Amino acid sequence: MAKEQSKADIASFESEFDRLGKIVGRLEEGNIPLEEMLKLYEEGTVLTAKLSETLKEAELKVRTLSKVHEELVSFETSEFDEE
């Protein structure tokens, strides 16, 4: 179930990122009424904050996993003393 949730999160991130790109493109085109421009800007701002938070969470997860990996790699077992 966690794997399915992760795939859904990735798909959601991708679709939101795509939507943000379309908003930016539309705003850069110009030639749109001020009211529509403001709505697009607001939506883009909300998406930017959400995507930024998702990336921060992903970065924290990667750092945590990297630290665990480093600890596992550096873990050494002591050999038995043979007499």
Side-chain angles (χ1 to χ4, degrees):
M1 184 163 181
K3 192 173 184 179
E4 290 176 17
Q5 180 63 31
S6 179
K7 286 182 181 180
D9 290 344
I10 291 170
S12 176
F13 180 86
E14 296 290 335
S15 65
E16 290 172 347
F17 189 76
D18 185 52
R19 175 65 184 148
L20 181 60
K22 289 178 181 175
I23 289 170
V24 169
R26 185 76 174 108
L27 290 171
E28 286 177 342
E29 285 176 9
N31 300 330
I32 56 176
L34 180 60
E35 188 174 320
E36 182 182 352
M37 186 182 297
L38 290 173
K39 285 180 183 178
L40 287 171
Y41 183 80
E42 182 179 7
E43 182 183 354
T45 304
V46 169
L47 281 172
T48 300
K50 187 175 181 182
L51 292 168
S52 179
E53 184 61 32
T54 301
L55 288 173
K56 285 178 187 176
E57 290 171 6
E59 180 182 17
L60 179 61
K61 191 178 285 188
V62 167
R63 286 181 185 211
T64 301
L65 291 172
S66 293
K67 186 175 181 178
V68 167
H69 175 73
E70 288 174 10
E71 289 173 1
L72 289 173
V73 169
S74 66
F75 181 76
E76 294 180 10
T77 58
S78 59
E79 294 184 26
F80 292 106
D81 290 331
E82 293 184 27
E83 293 182 47

